[in-house]
Amino acid sequence: MTNTEKCILIRYGELFLKGGNRSFFESLLKKNIRESLKGLDFELSVSQARYYISGYDARCEYEITERLRRVFGIHSISVCYKVQTDLERIAELLRSEFDKEGKFRVTVNRADKRIAQTSMQIAAFIGARLIEAYPSKLRVDLFSYDAEINVDIRENGYTYVFFDKITGAGGLPVGSSGKGLLLLSGGIDSPVAGYMAAKRGMKLDALHFHSFPYTGIQAKEKTAELARLIGRYSPGTRLYFAAFTKIQKAIRDKCPEAYLITIMRRFMMRIANRVAASKQCSAIITGESLGQVASQTVESLTSTNAVAERLVLRPLIGFDKSDIISIAKSIGTYDTSILPFEDCCTVFLPKNPAIRPKLQIVEQLEKAVTDADELIAEVIAGLETADI
Ligand code: ATP
Ligand code: MG
């Protein structure tokens, strides 16, 4: 069987819920699919709320499905045989391509109502032909089966035959919720937070604060690698580096040690406000999780939030660390996150941080940094774009 064409069928999920916005979501998803397959030869066509990838080199099939698995908005993917709608041809295709043994069933979806037979009749016909060909290998069992043959008869005169459904990433197409600025540390949590915001349709840019020379070049490289890994889910992600050492030293020299972290966080947020504004990001995303550490109590988050000038999304707020770790592993960021390079926050870590800092006290104490505006302006002026 050589003249059978293969293609990859893409089904999308939640887009259906979006009513009037549907065409906007569809064209965004199409654009993101093209972007994710950049560098490969393929054709993309649309038919009846499905996308089909065809015209690719057979050797790239696995690479294509792997990349598609990271495109948000895709519900499931199937590698299909495409054949003209003709029951004999379909049976012949299966005789040569279906190589499983044991119990199987044929499931027919007949969108093309011009075909006289019912779905059940077609399934029975195909099943019978297969058993005829391999009587000792195959047996039909509609309820308890090892393999399912799906026969999807579409209205375009073609039938798509597939044996598996690969679960897609789900969510909404990246870009449908605008763009957010991810505060990306080198840790486990923030990449997962970025992934979750991207899953709900947010395009990402990332901002990392470093404390050179207290944090080294490797910490930057690690963050760039994390941004690259997240960028596989949110194509076009850019990473910015902000030099935070001078501010940290000013805070250390002028503010009580117990409040260093809280005040540092507020400066990070002020800088993030400025970067978000200049990069058209409508939200700021952090990896904070309620109660995880001293800087993530309700009072600490209140202090940080008080200086935020736009929506702050904290997708991990209710997650246990173990939940976050399993997502990090499944999205491929965990191994990079646990590399042992210092983060800027650990460099100036106080022994006894204030666990419930009062906002009014914090506001009072940070006034000691009298040149705050100049320090922030300097960080913004020195912002670096990373190469990812
Ligand atoms: P993570 O695993 O993401 O580092 P964490 O549990 O270590 O998180 P914190 O260090 O308290 O928590 O940081 C809380 C959040 O603040 C991070 O998830 C991240 O969004 C942001 N953040 C912390 N450090 C940095 C940094 N150096 N650059 C940018 N954002 C940071
Ligand atoms: Mg951290």
Side-chain angles (χ1 to χ4, degrees):
M1 191 92 215
T2 48
N3 56 351
T4 316
E5 212 184 304
K6 281 183 99 179
C7 66
I8 295 169
L9 161 62
I10 299 170
R11 304 174 193 84
Y12 43 87
E14 263 186 77
L15 301 191
F16 286 113
L17 302 175
K18 297 292 169 183
N21 279 338
R22 178 154 156 191
S23 66
F24 163 69
F25 279 73
E26 283 176 336
S27 57
L28 199 52
L29 180 57
K30 211 159 72 182
K31 181 171 147 271
N32 292 349
I33 290 172
R34 283 191 199 284
E35 177 80 28
S36 78
L37 300 181
K38 215 153 86 181
L40 300 170
D41 277 333
F42 67 95
E43 282 153 38
L44 173 63
S45 58
V46 189
S47 170
Q48 291 156 345
R50 284 140 183 254
Y51 295 122
Y52 295 93
I53 305 282
S54 57
Y56 53 86
D57 184 332
R59 287 167 300 184
C60 298
E61 188 175 280
Y62 179 74
E63 174 68 19
I64 293 176
T65 53
E66 279 304 291
R67 292 199 201 176
L68 290 175
R69 282 175 66 176
R70 292 191 286 262
V71 176
F72 288 122
I74 293 180
H75 190 73
S76 65
I77 303 157
S78 292
V79 177
C80 300
Y81 294 92
K82 180 182 176 185
V83 59
Q84 267 175 29
T85 300
D86 173 306
L87 298 193
E88 288 295 351
R89 274 179 194 246
I90 298 168
E92 191 195 329
L93 164 85
L94 284 165
R95 269 200 304 270
S96 69
E97 300 294 335
F98 184 66
D99 59 0
K100 304 229 166 62
E101 291 190 20
K103 294 183 282 184
F104 77 103
R105 68 165 284 159
V106 180
T107 304
V108 174
N109 173 33
R110 186 179 55 112
D112 187 349
K113 302 300 177 199
R114 293 170 304 181
I115 309 294
Q117 295 97 322
T118 64
S119 299
M120 291 292 278
Q121 286 167 335
I122 299 168
F125 173 84
I126 295 171
R129 280 302 167 88
L130 268 176
I131 288 178
E132 248 167 61
Y134 305 105
S136 59
K137 260 175 55 180
L138 292 173
R139 184 154 65 82
V140 171
D141 190 325
L142 297 186
F143 303 103
S144 153
Y145 46 87
D146 309 310
E148 183 175 21
I149 299 172
N150 290 275
V151 177
D152 195 5
I153 306 177
R154 308 304 298 177
E155 285 160 346
N156 60 0
Y158 285 98
T159 294
Y160 298 84
V161 177
F162 57 91
F163 310 134
D164 293 301
K165 256 188 200 179
I166 302 165
T167 307
L172 297 171
V174 165
S176 61
S177 301
K179 188 162 77 166
L181 182 67
L182 171 66
L183 301 192
L184 183 64
S185 70
I188 296 168
D189 304 331
S190 42
V192 175
Y195 164 85
M196 296 200 56
K199 181 167 185 179
R200 299 311 302 166
M202 196 150 252
K203 203 169 149 49
L204 301 175
D205 274 346
L207 174 63
H208 177 73
F209 296 93
H210 67 81
S211 313
F212 193 79
Y214 301 97
T215 58
I217 190 79
Q218 285 165 314
K220 280 169 107 180
E221 283 169 1
K222 171 183 173 180
T223 312
E225 174 61 7
L226 288 172
R228 188 190 70 77
L229 292 170
I230 289 302
R232 298 187 304 173
Y233 295 92
S234 174
T237 295
R238 266 172 301 180
L239 169 65
Y240 304 102
F241 286 125
F244 203 51
T245 318
K246 214 165 159 185
I247 290 186
Q248 283 181 296
K249 283 186 170 167
I251 300 169
R252 182 196 59 190
D253 294 344
K254 294 173 183 163
C255 305
E257 193 188 76
Y259 287 86
L260 291 189
I261 294 273
T262 312
I263 296 172
M264 254 170 55
R265 295 260 171 237
R266 284 163 61 88
F267 274 86
M268 280 187 179
M269 188 57 85
R270 290 184 175 105
I271 293 164
N273 287 334
R274 300 272 298 267
V275 176
S278 73
K279 309 297 176 194
Q280 290 82 42
C281 296
S282 48
I284 288 168
I285 303 150
T286 78
E288 288 157 324
S289 159
L290 194 57
Q292 195 188 72
V293 287
S295 61
Q296 297 173 30
T297 60
V298 169
E299 291 80 359
S300 298
L301 293 175
T302 301
S303 289
T304 322
N305 209 55
V307 292
E309 286 169 4
R310 44 181 49 61
L311 176 67
V312 179
L313 294 174
R314 300 180 176 88
L316 307 184
I317 201 71
F319 280 44
D320 288 346
K321 193 77 184 186
S322 56
D323 301 332
I324 300 170
I325 288 174
S326 36
I327 301 175
K329 286 181 175 165
S330 75
I331 64 173
T333 53
Y334 183 77
D335 291 340
T336 304
S337 287
I338 59 172
L339 294 172
F341 308 115
E342 293 273 11
D343 182 67
C344 76
C345 297
T346 49
V347 175
F348 295 89
L349 204 64
K351 277 183 247 20
N352 295 304
I355 292 172
R356 307 197 181 288
K358 291 243 172 357
L359 180 58
Q360 277 168 321
I361 296 177
V362 175
E363 285 171 345
Q364 208 48 48
L365 291 173
E366 75 183 3
K367 284 186 183 150
V369 185
T370 45
D371 53 351
D373 290 347
E374 291 80 3
L375 288 171
I376 291 171
E378 202 178 314
V379 173
I380 296 294
L383 206 67
E384 260 182 274
T385 306
D387 196 6
I388 51 176

